[in-house]
């Protein structure tokens, strides 16, 4: 790498930091943003080092990639591996939950722009304690998307409705996000704590079944048959069912037989960085074709 190229990259990162400072309403002395040798953006915030991974979501009927779920890969102080749940808890206990969420979402958007797919959707998880802060927190994220030319209709916000106690809060938050142009996915549907009646309370664009659904369907033939009914019900509601957690060929066969066409799981593709997606998945025929 020449000195000139190195200087240009350094200037680019400085400019990004300045742009993010304005968009995030955050003192970026706390944020270490850098572009790694892989071309990925990484950051460090409150001692948590953050990397982004994307898991492809496939359209079985079209035999193509439908979108990507963005996942954070945190490590404490750059050395100790951590989990997203612990990282969020640590941020909340530090009084930096909102800022932490803004940092990693911005990083996801920056890395998503490196994926050469004009129409693919970006699936993002929403922390339940931040779901209700649409007026302030949601609009800040909207500014970030606008800044980096990712329209809100390409962003699917994944909502774990079971973690929202009151129906009216869930309904209000979803209606407000949809008014801003986001698509909505109910996540972990069919899990232990999900409330199926809520599927009738508000509009949603996707229903992502809990991973336990496909795993149990592979163990019990009666549940595999029942899955067809669940898929049909979701489709009758005008939503798109997504079967996640597919890890075996048997589970894939059951998912396809259920009538669902949008599928996700490690058998199809494990979470990887954007560069790997560009190198390996752009012209690769998916296993569901």
């Amino acid at each position: 790498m020449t000195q000139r190229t190195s200087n240009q990259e350094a200037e680019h990162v400085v400019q990004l930091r300045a742009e993010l400072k304005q968009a995030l309403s955050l003192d970026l002395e706390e944020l270490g943003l850098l572009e790694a040798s892989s071309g990925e953006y990484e950051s460090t915030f409150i001692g948590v080092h953050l990397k982004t991974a994307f898991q492809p979501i496939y359209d079985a009927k079209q035999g193509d990639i439908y979108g990507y779920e963005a996942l954070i890969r945190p490590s404490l102080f750059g050395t100790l591996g951590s989990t997203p749940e612990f990282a969020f808890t640590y941020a909340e206990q530090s009084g930096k939950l909102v800022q932490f969420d803004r940092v990693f979402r911005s990083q996801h958007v920056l890395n998503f722009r490196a994926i050469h797919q004009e129409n693919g959707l970006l699936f993002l998880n929403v922390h339940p304690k931040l779901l209700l802060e649409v007026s302030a927190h949601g609009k800040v994220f909207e500014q970030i998307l606008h800044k980096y030319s990712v329209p809100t209709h390409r962003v699917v916000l994944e909502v774990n409705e079971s973690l929202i106690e009151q129906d009216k809060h869930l309904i209000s938050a979803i209606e407000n996000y949809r008014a801003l142009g986001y698509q909505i996915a109910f996540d972990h549907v069919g899990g232990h704590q999900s409330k199926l009646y809520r599927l009738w309370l508000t509009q949603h664009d996707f229903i992502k079944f809990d991973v336990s659904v496909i795993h149990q369907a592979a163990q019990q033939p009666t549940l595999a048959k029942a899955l067809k009914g669940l898929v049909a019900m979701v489709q009758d509601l005008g939503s798109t069912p997504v079967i996640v957690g597919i890890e075996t060929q048997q589970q894939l066969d059951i998912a396809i037989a259920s009538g669902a066409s949008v599928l996700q799981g490690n058998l199809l593709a494990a979470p990887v960085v954007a560069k790997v997606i560009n190198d390996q998945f752009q012209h690769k025929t998916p296993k569901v074709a």
Side-chain angles (χ1 to χ4, degrees):
M1 180 183 296
T2 66
Q3 183 64 39
R4 180 178 179 181
T5 302
S6 178
N7 290 339
Q8 288 175 338
E9 291 183 355
E11 292 174 0
H12 177 60
V13 171
V14 169
Q15 181 180 354
L16 273 176
R17 285 170 56 86
E19 292 173 349
L20 287 173
K21 179 178 182 179
Q22 181 178 8
L24 295 174
S25 302
L26 177 69
D27 181 4
L28 288 186
E29 293 306 314
E30 302 178 270
L31 174 65
L33 177 73
L34 59 90
E35 186 174 8
S37 57
S38 64
E40 302 294 309
Y41 286 99
E42 303 175 2
S43 60
T44 300
F45 183 67
I46 58 171
V48 181
H49 187 73
L50 299 172
K51 295 183 179 180
T52 298
F54 295 99
Q55 184 165 39
I57 300 172
Y58 285 103
D59 184 336
K61 289 184 178 179
Q62 299 297 324
D64 199 1
I65 292 177
Y66 192 87
Y68 302 89
E69 180 176 357
L71 304 166
I72 61 170
R73 291 292 183 259
S75 59
L76 295 179
F77 308 103
T79 57
L80 302 175
S82 181
T83 64
E85 293 77 14
F86 181 86
F88 275 108
T89 299
Y90 179 68
E92 184 177 3
Q93 292 176 346
S94 302
K96 299 285 187 179
L97 180 60
V98 170
Q99 295 92 333
F100 181 77
D101 184 84
R102 290 176 180 175
V103 167
F104 87 78
R105 282 208 214 183
S106 300
Q107 182 175 309
H108 285 340
V109 172
L110 285 170
N111 287 324
F112 180 66
R113 291 171 67 230
I115 299 174
H116 300 297
Q117 182 162 328
E118 295 181 358
N119 299 316
L121 298 176
L122 173 62
F123 287 72
L124 291 174
N125 291 281
V126 178
H127 193 283
K129 292 190 176 181
L130 300 177
L131 178 66
L132 306 179
E133 299 187 31
V134 182
S135 59
H137 186 54
K139 290 184 177 179
V140 169
F141 184 56
E142 184 182 11
Q143 294 173 2
I144 294 168
L145 291 171
H146 178 73
K147 181 70 179 178
Y148 298 110
S149 302
V150 179
T152 55
H153 69 261
R154 287 187 62 191
V155 177
V156 182
L157 300 179
E158 297 191 11
V159 177
N160 187 345
E161 54 79 21
S162 66
L163 301 180
I164 309 297
E165 291 187 6
Q166 297 191 30
D167 292 346
K168 63 179 182 180
H169 289 162
L170 176 69
I171 294 170
S172 176
I174 288 177
E175 288 178 348
N176 287 331
Y177 274 116
R178 286 178 63 88
L180 293 173
Y182 297 101
Q183 298 193 61
I184 298 295
F186 273 18
D187 199 12
H188 298 290
V189 172
H192 293 301
Q193 298 178 329
S194 67
K195 304 177 180 66
L196 289 179
Y197 75 87
R198 284 180 161 178
L199 300 184
W200 286 266
L201 293 182
T202 186
Q203 286 186 298
H204 37 73
D205 304 281
F206 299 89
I207 294 297
K208 298 189 76 174
F209 292 113
D210 190 77
V211 295
S212 63
V213 171
I214 191 62
H215 290 181
Q216 292 176 11
Q219 297 172 1
Q220 304 180 48
T222 54
L223 292 181
K225 293 180 180 179
L227 182 57
K228 295 181 181 180
L230 289 174
V231 167
M233 178 192 70
V234 170
Q235 292 170 337
D236 288 343
L237 290 172
S239 196
T240 299
V242 183
I243 296 183
V244 306
I246 299 172
E247 298 177 351
T248 68
Q249 185 63 45
Q250 180 192 18
Q251 293 170 1
L252 176 59
D253 294 340
I254 292 172
I256 293 176
S258 74
S261 60
V262 183
L263 311 175
Q264 179 180 357
N266 287 341
L267 176 70
L268 307 175
V272 292
V273 297
K275 183 179 185 300
V276 174
I277 290 175
N278 288 332
D279 291 344
Q280 296 185 3
F281 291 101
Q282 189 173 9
H283 302 293
K284 183 178 181 179
T285 302
K287 298 179 183 179
V288 295

